Amino acid sequence: KSNAQKWKLVSNSKNSDLYSIMGTTSITATQMVNYFTAKGGKYPYSGNSVAPTIKDFCQIYVDECKAEGVKAEVAFAQVMMETGFLRFGGDVKKEQYNFAGLGATGGVEGNGFDSIRIGIRAQVQHLKAYASKKSLKQTCVDERFKYVSRGTAPYVEWLGQKENPNVNSKGDSYGWASGESYGFNIMSMINRMN
């Protein structure tokens, strides 16, 4: 059986053990800052008018997630994993304000956004697309929102395609990323933040 099939057998009776992407945030901006600092993060946007400090950056996550009903700890852990604690270094450059690699695929830079807030909003909207079928509360800034099969990954653990039990007509699993244990790696970071 594939990983997704095995996971489906386990998850059918234990969905309550999985971590929902939608809901009330369980951490504060200060806890996010402390986690970032403890992991040796160096804030690359000092002096930026939208978010001059890491505390401002984290508060934007809290605000944008609250607006859409997404748990901020999920979005923040994802950006820390995707960017290496804002060090970037992959296909996406810090000037793109693309904190979750939207549209980036092996050598392709992906989407760019006009500001830190809009980049964060796009990531939060993309998470909501996977986690829920509810309408967005704010104007859509995520150019890739329309490509997501809505509500196919309501749990963090299902963000990885290899662990997502939902499959399309071709038998391919849904999910944000193809890397093994993608969602479980995010959960590990969330657990450390808490």
Side-chain angles (χ1 to χ4, degrees):
K1 294 180 179 177
S2 71
N3 285 346
Q5 289 170 323
K6 290 177 194 171
W7 180 246
K8 188 171 189 172
L9 293 174
V10 171
S11 67
N12 279 341
S13 60
K14 297 188 177 190
N15 282 354
S16 63
D17 295 339
L18 300 173
Y19 201 81
S20 178
I21 293 169
M22 303 300 292
T24 304
T25 294
S26 69
I27 63 170
T28 64
T30 300
Q31 286 174 288
M32 292 179 198
V33 171
N34 292 342
Y35 181 65
F36 178 79
T37 304
K39 292 297 183 180
K42 293 187 180 10
Y43 188 63
Y45 300 109
S46 296
N48 179 289
S49 62
V50 173
T53 68
I54 185 62
K55 176 89 185 224
D56 297 315
F57 183 85
C58 293
Q59 189 59 51
I60 292 171
Y61 267 94
V62 171
D63 297 343
E64 291 295 327
C65 286
K66 184 176 182 181
E68 295 296 348
V70 171
K71 293 178 182 176
E73 63 270 20
V74 175
F76 187 74
Q78 184 183 40
V79 72
M80 293 299 107
M81 185 176 75
E82 288 277 353
T83 66
F85 290 86
L86 299 178
R87 290 181 186 94
F88 294 90
D91 294 329
V92 178
K93 310 294 180 249
K94 74 175 188 168
E95 297 80 19
Q96 290 175 256
Y97 307 124
N98 182 348
F99 301 109
L102 297 173
T105 55
V108 177
E109 287 183 350
N111 300 108
F113 301 96
D114 293 337
S115 70
I116 289 172
R117 180 173 295 278
I118 298 302
I120 292 171
R121 184 173 296 164
Q123 176 198 359
V124 170
Q125 290 177 345
H126 209 69
L127 276 169
K128 185 172 183 174
Y130 276 102
S132 172
K133 292 183 179 182
K134 291 184 179 178
S135 299
L136 291 175
K137 302 287 185 191
Q138 302 185 79
T139 301
C140 186
V141 297
D142 170 22
E143 298 169 19
R144 303 196 55 77
F145 187 89
K146 62 188 171 209
Y147 300 121
V148 177
S149 291
R150 302 288 313 277
T152 56
Y155 307 109
V156 174
E157 294 87 347
W158 292 5
L159 287 172
Q161 293 169 1
K162 290 181 174 64
E163 295 81 25
N164 191 311
N166 296 307
V167 295
N168 64 22
S169 60
K170 296 178 187 172
D172 299 323
S173 291
Y174 291 109
W176 185 296
S178 61
E180 191 164 341
S181 298
Y182 181 83
F184 288 94
N185 291 333
I186 292 172
M187 275 311 305
S188 178
M189 295 176 91
I190 291 169
N191 291 333
R192 282 186 226 124
M193 272 190 278
N194 286 324

